[in-house]
Amino acid sequence: MDLEELKKSMSTLDNVLAKETSDSINLKSTKCNTAQRRIMKMYCKGAISCPILAVVFLCAWNSGFGNDAFPTALKIFLCIFLCIATIWYGYLYFKTKKIDISVSTPMQTMRQVSTLRLFALIGEFVLGMAMAVFFTLFLSNLWVVGRYRFWIVIAATGVFLILLTTVFLPRTIRDFKNLTAID
């Protein structure tokens, strides 16, 4: 969001709150609904993929597969983390689904969306910190076990972070911005 767009949004919000204008705010329902569907789809994918990964790591934990590079404690940590992430993404999915743009007033919709944004940011921050702890423990263990594995994981993590910052994050920001698109 650039500075001019932010100024315009803030002045519109100030005018609405101060009731200085007689212009009513109308949300672009098609754009908002499309953004809502995309966000719901993103959270649904997270809520479905996390338990699948948890079951995979649970099976790996029970079978003893890869205990040298991936100890049991890390498998347990990852299973618990994925279960918590499943619950969180499910909660965000239902919170997003609860937003009804066609029935709610624009101010109610903006309040619901801002609450959703706050919860999404808090959740991603907490889950990101847990992943940072996990990767710190995992990479330190991997460095001892096999350095070539360490560099492969570092390269894969780097590719993931590049894709996250260049593709997925801008798309998510755009969808959250379009969730309250004004005519």
Side-chain angles (χ1 to χ4, degrees):
M1 177 181 270
D2 61 352
L3 187 58
E4 292 301 318
E5 188 176 334
L6 181 63
K7 286 180 184 177
K8 181 182 173 191
S9 297
M10 291 304 293
S11 67
T12 304
L13 185 60
D14 287 340
N15 289 341
V16 169
L17 292 175
K19 297 182 181 177
E20 293 177 358
T21 64
S22 62
D23 300 336
S24 63
I25 292 180
N26 295 323
L27 298 175
K28 293 180 183 177
S29 61
T30 56
K31 199 172 194 179
C32 295
N33 288 331
T34 303
Q36 183 180 12
R37 280 194 307 271
R38 284 184 187 152
I39 292 170
M40 284 173 47
K41 184 178 177 183
M42 177 183 66
Y43 289 140
C44 184
K45 283 181 185 178
I48 291 172
S49 63
C50 284
I52 291 171
L53 286 172
V55 168
V56 167
F57 285 109
L58 188 65
C59 291
W61 170 31
N62 287 335
S63 69
F65 176 74
N67 279 340
D68 59 336
F70 203 38
T72 304
L74 290 179
K75 290 176 190 170
I76 294 170
F77 178 83
L78 196 57
C79 288
I80 292 170
F81 168 78
L82 289 170
C83 290
I84 292 170
T86 300
I87 293 167
W88 186 250
Y89 285 132
Y91 172 75
L92 290 177
Y93 171 79
F94 286 114
K95 190 146 185 74
T96 306
K97 189 175 183 178
K98 199 167 124 177
I99 298 172
D100 193 2
I101 296 165
S102 60
V103 175
S104 301
T105 64
M107 291 309 291
Q108 288 173 333
T109 303
M110 288 182 184
R111 183 179 39 195
Q112 289 173 334
V113 169
S114 65
T115 304
L116 177 67
R117 284 180 185 162
L118 178 67
F119 286 166
L121 283 173
I122 290 170
E124 294 299 328
F125 180 75
V126 170
L127 294 176
M129 295 309 301
M131 286 305 293
V133 168
F134 169 77
F135 272 104
T136 301
L137 297 172
F138 177 62
L139 291 174
S140 65
N141 183 53
L142 206 56
W143 181 261
V144 172
V145 174
R147 295 209 173 140
Y148 69 93
R149 293 179 188 172
F150 173 83
W151 290 111
I152 289 172
V153 170
I154 289 291
T157 304
V159 169
F160 170 75
L161 289 175
I162 289 170
L163 283 174
L164 179 72
T165 57
T166 59
V167 177
F168 298 118
L169 190 60
R171 189 181 303 161
T172 304
I173 290 170
R174 181 198 66 214
D175 287 339
F176 270 106
K177 192 186 313 180
N178 288 343
L179 199 53
T180 55
I182 299 173
D183 282 334

